[in-house]
Amino acid sequence: MRFEISKVLDAIEGRVCTDPSLARAVVDLAEVIRWQDLDGGRPASLLRLGMVIDALSRQVEEDSVPVYAIVHRALLSDADLTSNERMVVRRWADDGLVEVLDQPGDRMLEVADLLGLPVLSRVRFDGLGGRWPWLGQAGRVLAPVPGAGGPVFIAHVGGGQTPASGSRSPAGAKLLARQWRCPEPGCALFGGGGGGGAFADLARVDRAPAGQPPPTLRNGVPSCPRHGARLGDAGPRPRTAVLAVRIGGLVRRRFVLTETQPVLVGRAPDATGGVVLGQWLNDEARRWISRSHVRFELRVGEVIVTDTSTNGSGVRPGGSMAEPDRIPLAPQQSRVLGDGDLVELYPGVQIGRADEVTSDAKFSPTSVMAEAPTMAMRLPRA
Ligand SMILES: [Zn+2]
């Protein structure tokens, strides 16, 4: 049992991040872990974060959907959590996967404002609509409540049932155009260099500086939300492109491409930050797709794909699924991705810009709560 729980916590770890390009909703962890009615269990449980993330996945019809978690520092020593859970949250804090604050205040709303993300909370935020006008928009604040197959979302504020993202606020766009440095040594949010490690590759792809969280504004001054210190401007933030992998009609995960770090995608690429597809492929697809099948690079804002496989791949121009339109990409061949283009590694396995790739089939996302961390799926036969 203990082993299973730690596997689930590892799976949840892959779904928390402070990367502005990948996070899909904001939560206050101190609130989420106490939603006892979700499972009728202990007063506080970190597994409830997994339940909420699963619900978000179902709602947006994508797998591997990460959330931006604000964590009150008191949580790191909260006696209602197990010692294992406290240790896990501390690890997330040390790795900058979550934002730990002495006084969270309305940081959750600030992050939602700067990044244009929905808030998952049961708080009604009365009287705050003047400061944050988007609170009244449908889908921007949803309350996870118990439902038949896990949590469902209802609106206490603003209406709607489906989480809706807005655009980054003007302040957010300005802050996220620069990279920032905290004077506090070893700052997990605005220090130099990113975390490394075998777990949570999703969050750690380009953790820094392209994946830096948004600073907090204190009297208009960009500051470290953790340390309160004024942040130094460390120059323009590297350009990024967000790509998405669709397998069998379902978006399985997104990843960030920067100009300094190409990303390898395949059955099981060796490189750090590589995107591993193996767990979603059936036997035929696993045989066809190379360990490292394609390489993506970002150059002067253009996404370039290079085939690194044994069997080759193809490009679907403008996303066209008509067979005559498919452009073969032979091993070692490169191509600039045009608008709407999809790279196809194997029938049903496609990669493109995240805003141009959507799920187009009914599905149940692989649960982060599942006993097995991953499930093999059957691809439609060509
Ligand atoms: Zn700091």
PDB file of all heavy atoms in Angstrom, residues 182-184 187-190 224-229 231, ligand 1:
ATOM      1  N   CYS A 182      16.752  36.362  -8.387  1.00  0.00           N
ATOM      2  CA  CYS A 182      16.534  36.683  -6.976  1.00  0.00           C
ATOM      3  C   CYS A 182      17.892  36.804  -6.286  1.00  0.00           C
ATOM      4  O   CYS A 182      18.761  35.968  -6.510  1.00  0.00           O
ATOM      5  CB  CYS A 182      15.704  35.576  -6.319  1.00  0.00           C
ATOM      6  SG  CYS A 182      15.366  35.863  -4.578  1.00  0.00           S
ATOM      7  N   PRO A 183      18.072  37.839  -5.431  1.00  0.00           N
ATOM      8  CA  PRO A 183      19.356  37.988  -4.728  1.00  0.00           C
ATOM      9  C   PRO A 183      19.577  36.902  -3.676  1.00  0.00           C
ATOM     10  O   PRO A 183      20.700  36.687  -3.228  1.00  0.00           O
ATOM     11  CB  PRO A 183      19.243  39.374  -4.073  1.00  0.00           C
ATOM     12  CG  PRO A 183      17.787  39.684  -4.019  1.00  0.00           C
ATOM     13  CD  PRO A 183      17.142  38.940  -5.144  1.00  0.00           C
ATOM     14  N   GLU A 184      18.500  36.220  -3.285  1.00  0.00           N
ATOM     15  CA  GLU A 184      18.612  35.186  -2.251  1.00  0.00           C
ATOM     16  C   GLU A 184      19.324  33.960  -2.844  1.00  0.00           C
ATOM     17  O   GLU A 184      18.869  33.412  -3.845  1.00  0.00           O
ATOM     18  CB  GLU A 184      17.199  34.798  -1.805  1.00  0.00           C
ATOM     19  CG  GLU A 184      17.115  34.040  -0.509  1.00  0.00           C
ATOM     20  CD  GLU A 184      17.469  34.888   0.706  1.00  0.00           C
ATOM     21  OE1 GLU A 184      17.253  36.137   0.676  1.00  0.00           O
ATOM     22  OE2 GLU A 184      17.960  34.310   1.659  1.00  0.00           O
ATOM     23  N   CYS A 187      17.648  30.430  -4.551  1.00  0.00           N
ATOM     24  CA  CYS A 187      16.203  30.616  -4.733  1.00  0.00           C
ATOM     25  C   CYS A 187      15.699  29.621  -5.776  1.00  0.00           C
ATOM     26  O   CYS A 187      16.187  29.582  -6.905  1.00  0.00           O
ATOM     27  CB  CYS A 187      15.901  32.045  -5.163  1.00  0.00           C
ATOM     28  SG  CYS A 187      14.155  32.321  -5.507  1.00  0.00           S
ATOM     29  N   ALA A 188      14.710  28.793  -5.387  1.00  0.00           N
ATOM     30  CA  ALA A 188      14.234  27.732  -6.278  1.00  0.00           C
ATOM     31  C   ALA A 188      13.417  28.297  -7.437  1.00  0.00           C
ATOM     32  O   ALA A 188      13.243  27.634  -8.455  1.00  0.00           O
ATOM     33  CB  ALA A 188      13.393  26.735  -5.487  1.00  0.00           C
ATOM     34  N   LEU A 189      12.901  29.522  -7.291  1.00  0.00           N
ATOM     35  CA  LEU A 189      12.046  30.080  -8.336  1.00  0.00           C
ATOM     36  C   LEU A 189      12.822  30.967  -9.303  1.00  0.00           C
ATOM     37  O   LEU A 189      12.604  30.924 -10.514  1.00  0.00           O
ATOM     38  CB  LEU A 189      10.905  30.886  -7.704  1.00  0.00           C
ATOM     39  CG  LEU A 189       9.977  30.110  -6.765  1.00  0.00           C
ATOM     40  CD1 LEU A 189       8.995  31.063  -6.099  1.00  0.00           C
ATOM     41  CD2 LEU A 189       9.229  29.027  -7.517  1.00  0.00           C
ATOM     42  N   PHE A 190      13.744  31.774  -8.759  1.00  0.00           N
ATOM     43  CA  PHE A 190      14.459  32.736  -9.615  1.00  0.00           C
ATOM     44  C   PHE A 190      15.970  32.647  -9.434  1.00  0.00           C
ATOM     45  O   PHE A 190      16.669  33.634  -9.496  1.00  0.00           O
ATOM     46  CB  PHE A 190      13.972  34.166  -9.334  1.00  0.00           C
ATOM     47  CG  PHE A 190      12.521  34.360  -9.636  1.00  0.00           C
ATOM     48  CD1 PHE A 190      11.571  34.280  -8.626  1.00  0.00           C
ATOM     49  CD2 PHE A 190      12.091  34.586 -10.941  1.00  0.00           C
ATOM     50  CE1 PHE A 190      10.219  34.439  -8.898  1.00  0.00           C
ATOM     51  CE2 PHE A 190      10.746  34.744 -11.217  1.00  0.00           C
ATOM     52  CZ  PHE A 190       9.807  34.667 -10.201  1.00  0.00           C
ATOM     53  N   CYS A 224      10.404  38.717  -5.725  1.00  0.00           N
ATOM     54  CA  CYS A 224      10.325  37.263  -5.549  1.00  0.00           C
ATOM     55  C   CYS A 224       9.167  36.951  -4.607  1.00  0.00           C
ATOM     56  O   CYS A 224       9.139  37.433  -3.482  1.00  0.00           O
ATOM     57  CB  CYS A 224      11.637  36.730  -4.972  1.00  0.00           C
ATOM     58  SG  CYS A 224      11.578  34.952  -4.664  1.00  0.00           S
ATOM     59  N   PRO A 225       8.199  36.140  -5.046  1.00  0.00           N
ATOM     60  CA  PRO A 225       7.063  35.846  -4.173  1.00  0.00           C
ATOM     61  C   PRO A 225       7.490  35.091  -2.911  1.00  0.00           C
ATOM     62  O   PRO A 225       6.856  35.212  -1.872  1.00  0.00           O
ATOM     63  CB  PRO A 225       6.148  34.977  -5.048  1.00  0.00           C
ATOM     64  CG  PRO A 225       6.976  34.546  -6.214  1.00  0.00           C
ATOM     65  CD  PRO A 225       8.107  35.504  -6.359  1.00  0.00           C
ATOM     66  N   ARG A 226       8.591  34.353  -2.991  1.00  0.00           N
ATOM     67  CA  ARG A 226       9.054  33.567  -1.856  1.00  0.00           C
ATOM     68  C   ARG A 226       9.825  34.429  -0.852  1.00  0.00           C
ATOM     69  O   ARG A 226       9.625  34.332   0.338  1.00  0.00           O
ATOM     70  CB  ARG A 226       9.951  32.426  -2.365  1.00  0.00           C
ATOM     71  CG  ARG A 226      10.647  31.611  -1.295  1.00  0.00           C
ATOM     72  CD  ARG A 226       9.664  30.678  -0.617  1.00  0.00           C
ATOM     73  NE  ARG A 226      10.298  29.979   0.487  1.00  0.00           N
ATOM     74  CZ  ARG A 226      10.333  30.451   1.737  1.00  0.00           C
ATOM     75  NH1 ARG A 226       9.791  31.622   2.025  1.00  0.00           N
ATOM     76  NH2 ARG A 226      10.904  29.763   2.690  1.00  0.00           N
ATOM     77  N   HIS A 227      10.745  35.262  -1.367  1.00  0.00           N
ATOM     78  CA  HIS A 227      11.652  35.989  -0.486  1.00  0.00           C
ATOM     79  C   HIS A 227      11.318  37.466  -0.344  1.00  0.00           C
ATOM     80  O   HIS A 227      11.901  38.156   0.479  1.00  0.00           O
ATOM     81  CB  HIS A 227      13.094  35.834  -0.989  1.00  0.00           C
ATOM     82  CG  HIS A 227      13.544  34.409  -1.044  1.00  0.00           C
ATOM     83  ND1 HIS A 227      13.726  33.717  -2.226  1.00  0.00           N
ATOM     84  CD2 HIS A 227      13.787  33.523  -0.048  1.00  0.00           C
ATOM     85  CE1 HIS A 227      14.096  32.473  -1.949  1.00  0.00           C
ATOM     86  NE2 HIS A 227      14.140  32.329  -0.656  1.00  0.00           N
ATOM     87  N   GLY A 228      10.401  37.959  -1.139  1.00  0.00           N
ATOM     88  CA  GLY A 228      10.021  39.361  -1.037  1.00  0.00           C
ATOM     89  C   GLY A 228      11.047  40.311  -1.625  1.00  0.00           C
ATOM     90  O   GLY A 228      10.809  41.517  -1.697  1.00  0.00           O
ATOM     91  N   ALA A 229      12.188  39.795  -2.040  1.00  0.00           N
ATOM     92  CA  ALA A 229      13.266  40.656  -2.530  1.00  0.00           C
ATOM     93  C   ALA A 229      12.942  41.191  -3.921  1.00  0.00           C
ATOM     94  O   ALA A 229      12.254  40.531  -4.704  1.00  0.00           O
ATOM     95  CB  ALA A 229      14.564  39.855  -2.574  1.00  0.00           C
ATOM     96  N   LEU A 231      13.613  41.731  -7.634  1.00  0.00           N
ATOM     97  CA  LEU A 231      14.324  40.868  -8.582  1.00  0.00           C
ATOM     98  C   LEU A 231      15.155  41.700  -9.542  1.00  0.00           C
ATOM     99  O   LEU A 231      14.741  42.790  -9.942  1.00  0.00           O
ATOM    100  CB  LEU A 231      13.322  40.022  -9.383  1.00  0.00           C
ATOM    101  CG  LEU A 231      12.494  39.010  -8.594  1.00  0.00           C
ATOM    102  CD1 LEU A 231      11.429  38.384  -9.493  1.00  0.00           C
ATOM    103  CD2 LEU A 231      13.381  37.932  -7.993  1.00  0.00           C
TER     104      LEU A 231
HETATM  105 ZN    ZN B   1      13.689  34.263  -4.282  1.00  0.00          ZN
END
